[in-house]
Amino acid sequence: PGFLDRPVGVAVAPDGTVVVTEERADRVQRFTVDGTFLGGWGGRGTGPGRFMSPWDVAVASDGTVYVVDVDNHRVQRFAPDGTHLGSFGTRGSGAGNLFYPYGIAVAPDGTLWVADTRGHRVQHFDAGGTYIGGWGGSGIDPGKLSWPIGVLVTPDGTVVVADYANNRLQRFGAEGEVLGVWRAPFTN
């Protein structure tokens, strides 16, 4: 505990605590902003509070910690102290199912956006994990996604997606309308 083993996700809680996911160690750790270890939870497995490649992490305004559990095809919810509060998602391609999700963001309204990476889509859930909607689908046209890895939500509710295999970012309204696509020319 307190040492990091392939950290991949980081978020700041409302109280200033830094929350880190570790892909190889299959755990979550909490630190003060100066690096003092506060605690952690997890371990490899499929049960509640266990992980198989935890990747991204987001913290809601009430301190709830959401962790994307990639190989378990789910998102897990925790209290700030690591108490397991529930999970949502099962492997699949249907509405609300997840297929190797990698990114998560909490919107200003408290809802969640999940980058469902191998599902080539972004899905929207309420704070408890109930499916609200989503969009995407594999492709290169605006609005289509190819391996979306990261997602964030701006203060005005705009959803920005890191469209990994298409080498671009896409900006969407909350209903999935494309607001912009941008990519920079490749330079070395």
Side-chain angles (χ1 to χ4, degrees):
F3 295 97
L4 297 173
D5 190 3
R6 291 198 182 161
V8 290
V10 63
V12 177
D15 66 359
T17 302
V18 177
V19 183
V20 181
T21 54
E22 297 172 87
E23 183 260 342
R24 184 160 59 187
D26 293 306
R27 67 184 173 196
V28 175
Q29 294 196 71
R30 296 172 50 245
F31 299 89
T32 64
V33 73
D34 67 0
T36 301
F37 176 69
L38 297 173
W41 62 87
R44 189 155 186 81
T46 59
R50 309 297 276 179
F51 302 104
M52 292 181 65
S53 296
W55 203 267
D56 204 8
V57 59
V59 183
S61 61
D62 67 357
T64 302
V65 177
Y66 295 92
V67 179
V68 175
D69 190 2
V70 176
D71 291 342
N72 282 324
H73 310 280
R74 66 185 176 188
V75 172
Q76 294 197 65
R77 270 185 311 125
F78 299 91
D81 67 358
T83 301
H84 188 261
L85 300 175
S87 63
F88 62 91
T90 56
R91 183 180 177 148
S93 59
N97 295 132
L98 298 170
F99 190 49
Y100 297 100
Y102 275 81
I104 190 165
V106 178
D109 65 2
T111 61
L112 307 168
W113 291 91
V114 177
D116 190 15
T117 305
R118 287 202 197 166
H120 306 288
R121 61 188 175 171
V122 175
Q123 296 197 71
H124 192 193
F125 299 88
D126 71 14
T130 300
Y131 177 78
I132 296 171
W135 65 81
S138 184
I140 61 172
D141 294 329
K144 296 294 185 180
L145 300 165
S146 184
W147 291 69
I149 293 287
V151 60
L152 69 80
V153 184
T154 65
D156 71 357
T158 299
V159 179
V160 181
V161 179
D163 191 2
Y164 176 77
N166 282 328
N167 298 304
R168 65 186 180 189
L169 296 178
Q170 292 197 67
R171 199 166 43 95
F172 298 93
E175 301 301 317
E177 62 278 16
V178 177
L179 302 176
V181 177
W182 67 102
R183 66 172 79 209
F186 180 76
T187 59
N188 238 348

